[in-house]
Amino acid sequence: MKLQNDLILRAAKGERVERVPVWMMRQAGRILPEYRAVREKAGSFIKLATTPEMAAEVTIQPVDILGTDAAIIFSDILVVPEAMGLPYEMVESKGPVFPKVIQNKKDIDALRIANPENELAYVLKAIDIVKKELNGRVPLLGFAGAPFTIFCYMVEGKGSKTFSIAKKMLYSEPELAHALLQKITDTTIAYLKAQAKHGADLVQIFDSWAGILSPDQYRKFSLPYIAQICDAINEVPVTVFAKGAFFARKEMSKLNCDVVGLDWNMDITESRRMIPHKTLQGNLDPCVLYSSFKEIEKHTKKMIKNFGGQKYIANLGHGVYPDTDPEKVKCFIETVKNYTI
Ligand SMILES: Cc1c2[nH]c(c1CCC(=O)O)Cc1[nH]c(c(CCC(=O)O)c1C)Cc1[nH]c(c(CCC(=O)O)c1C)Cc1[nH]c(c(C)c1CCC(=O)O)C2
């Protein structure tokens, strides 16, 4: 199926574009009343995420309502631990919780390397439906968490500011940590390949907790596993987004990936210099969308001017915050689309 709008894919591959493409991390979610209605009907986040027809519906909403240049499959990074045998719960207004966590070698041995066609069939089915319903309008993005970020949740068992329980394992039992990271990596590679096979046009790796590691620890416990994934995924372009990993930009430039995502703490000009050969994605502070329409336009235009119009995918520097006014989001998206490059 030939895509009618392939701006994001062309930008990712470094090909020329007529205008800057735009999408938003966490675009399929609570900012839209239309999402909240489907979520209500589903009864719970997990029910919504595991029911392919409903997951497909909320995946397409931002394309129809906000006008984004891509859809991102509605799911969560935590479906991977679940597929490996460690289920999660989503506690209202608290976030994810794992009733059982990984503490020793026995726990790691008990985990399986998932077969996505079995344990993650519901995500793949949702991808099949979305591809059919999008009918080539825009590309579909797939995703997975980076092994280190998934490790954090599997060992800590819940969200945390410091993930000190998870980090403790890195320092006190590094071999154990590596064994778990490798098992997560093997599952993630199989999962992303399956997403591409089912029609994901590009995949993004979210290393949301990269910023809690020292540069040394990041080089040991995160980058090698991201590198394995990048080397293994040759079917579609790959984006690596490591929140807070400003210290690793030089190494990111050497990864076998097409796009590097930036957060708002990373200076644009400096990042272009450090990552000269790749497409960059980002990096508006999501809080800008709390300001006036005029301010949003001003900050968005300044951002595009700094990145330049080519080898660039406009986005926020992290996921959109749930209490953001959809009209402000539309203003951001329209400003990007109307920018003459
Ligand atoms: C760390 C992380 C998680 N999940 C994800 C990350 C990496 C990206 C990032 O750093 O933001 C990724 C994710 N989670 C979700 C998506 C959907 C696709 C999209 O629109 O981007 C994506 C790409 C849906 C979701 N995942 C979650 C919701 C909200 C739950 C609900 O609607 O009830 C949604 C729409 C729940 C979730 N899931 C997670 C947390 C910490 C929480 C609770 C806090 C929160 O709500 O943001 C783990």
Side-chain angles (χ1 to χ4, degrees):
M1 159 84 55
K2 195 171 162 4
L3 287 163
Q4 291 147 40
N5 173 349
D6 64 349
L7 283 168
I8 283 188
L9 301 183
R10 275 192 277 143
K13 291 183 229 160
E15 297 169 10
R16 278 201 81 76
V17 290
E18 312 76 63
R19 70 160 172 86
V20 171
V22 59
W23 71 283
M24 271 188 338
M25 291 187 274
R26 298 297 200 99
Q27 67 186 26
R30 295 151 299 172
I31 55 162
L32 292 177
E34 293 85 350
Y35 165 82
R36 291 196 296 270
V38 181
R39 164 86 166 69
E40 193 80 12
K41 199 169 76 188
S44 72
F45 171 79
I46 291 184
K47 182 75 186 160
L48 174 53
T50 53
T51 309
E53 293 74 18
M54 285 199 272
E57 184 180 352
V58 299
T59 298
I60 296 171
Q61 282 175 348
V63 179
D64 291 336
I65 301 165
L66 303 171
T68 53
D69 288 311
I72 178 162
I73 189 68
F74 183 81
S75 186
D76 201 88
I77 60 169
L78 301 176
V79 301
V80 163
E82 167 139 293
M84 295 173 72
L86 203 72
Y88 69 104
E89 294 165 4
M90 204 57 90
V91 181
E92 208 61 51
S93 73
K94 197 165 157 253
V97 174
F98 285 85
K100 198 181 158 311
V101 294
I102 301 299
Q103 290 176 312
N104 51 44
K105 182 164 184 304
K106 201 170 113 272
D107 294 339
I108 297 173
D109 289 343
L111 294 170
R112 60 178 166 255
I113 293 165
N115 172 359
E117 298 288 349
N118 292 333
E119 286 88 15
L120 292 158
Y122 62 92
V123 182
L124 303 176
K125 181 83 197 298
I127 292 177
D128 293 340
I129 299 172
V130 170
K131 283 300 283 186
K132 206 160 150 244
E133 291 186 359
L134 277 178
N135 198 23
R137 274 195 288 156
V138 291
L140 174 62
L141 314 182
F143 70 90
F148 172 67
T149 286
I150 298 300
F151 169 96
C152 281
Y153 285 101
M154 291 175 85
V155 177
E156 192 92 15
K158 56 184 180 333
S160 160
K161 280 209 172 73
T162 57
F163 280 97
S164 55
I165 302 169
K167 279 175 75 180
K168 182 173 152 193
M169 191 188 281
L170 305 184
Y171 286 103
S172 54
E173 294 176 283
E175 308 78 26
L176 209 58
H178 281 299
L180 178 53
L181 285 161
Q182 190 59 53
K183 242 175 162 165
I184 299 168
T185 302
D186 293 344
T187 295
T188 303
I189 289 172
Y191 182 40
L192 291 175
K193 280 186 177 291
Q195 292 185 28
K197 185 169 165 230
H198 282 256
D201 297 289
L202 177 154
V203 294
Q204 174 156 325
I205 301 166
F206 286 91
D207 205 356
S208 304
W209 297 109
I212 64 172
L213 292 179
S214 69
D216 265 1
Q217 295 284 80
Y218 196 68
R219 269 175 221 123
K220 273 200 203 98
F221 293 104
S222 189
L223 272 171
Y225 298 98
I226 293 177
Q228 279 188 45
I229 298 171
C230 292
D231 289 342
I233 305 297
N234 301 309
E235 296 83 351
V236 292
V238 176
T239 298
V240 175
F241 170 66
K243 173 87 175 63
F246 60 90
F247 50 78
R249 283 175 290 176
K250 264 253 137 58
E251 283 101 331
M252 296 272 167
S253 77
K254 297 190 191 99
L255 286 172
N256 198 356
C257 70
D258 304 271
V259 185
V260 172
L262 306 181
D263 67 43
W264 62 90
N265 288 129
M266 302 175 187
D267 181 78
I268 296 168
T269 309
E270 185 182 62
S271 301
R272 277 284 190 210
R273 211 165 38 236
M274 294 175 92
I275 314 169
H277 303 299
K278 295 194 191 297
T279 292
L280 298 181
Q281 173 175 280
N283 74 342
L284 197 73
D285 183 344
C287 284
V288 169
L289 301 188
Y290 292 135
S291 66
S292 66
F293 292 105
K294 203 162 147 250
E295 282 294 306
I296 294 170
E297 260 186 55
K298 192 182 89 189
H299 286 280
T300 304
K301 285 178 178 166
K302 184 172 172 217
M303 169 181 78
I304 305 173
K305 187 159 176 279
N306 282 343
F307 273 106
Q310 303 295 335
K311 285 168 72 177
Y312 173 51
I313 298 168
N315 205 310
L316 305 179
H318 200 188
V320 61
Y321 297 134
D323 60 346
T324 306
D325 176 357
E327 292 305 317
K328 298 288 174 72
V329 170
K330 282 186 201 163
C331 173
F332 163 66
I333 289 167
E334 284 309 310
T335 304
V336 178
K337 287 179 152 184
N338 291 327
Y339 190 98
T340 310
I341 56 175

